[in-house]
Amino acid sequence: MRMTRVVGWLGLAVHLAVGFWYAVSGLVVPGWALAGLLVVWTVLLAVGVRLLRRRPALVPLAPLSAVLIWLAVVSAGGAWLGWTA
């Protein structure tokens, strides 16, 4: 049980680090997309905190989801909408 709590806290720490990439993506994405990305990141943070209380072993899924969503949005925007730095 103790190890799962550590995994949960590490997952939240990684999620905060992923938040840096969300914040600096404003250099590549337009403002409306950045606002949407930050809302998604915040919702995933809330999910991570809730999971930390109930099922801490699942918390790393929040930053993993955040990374995959960020990559998908930025890649799709670059390919289809012409977003560039």
Side-chain angles (χ1 to χ4, degrees):
M1 175 134 163
R2 196 75 143 126
M3 188 58 159
T4 58
R5 298 288 289 173
V6 171
V7 168
W9 282 106
L10 286 174
L12 280 182
V14 170
H15 191 71
L16 292 175
V18 170
F20 171 77
W21 292 106
Y22 271 71
V24 300
S25 61
L27 298 171
V28 177
V29 303
W32 61 267
L34 179 61
L37 282 171
L38 291 175
V39 166
V40 168
W41 183 86
T42 304
V43 167
L44 287 171
L45 177 63
V47 168
V49 169
R50 185 175 176 135
L51 284 172
L52 183 63
R53 295 178 183 180
R54 297 174 189 250
R55 311 239 358 225
L58 297 178
V59 173
L61 293 177
L64 176 63
S65 300
V67 167
L68 294 175
I69 291 168
W70 183 84
L71 283 172
V73 169
V74 172
S75 297
W80 297 326
L81 301 174
W83 298 347
T84 58

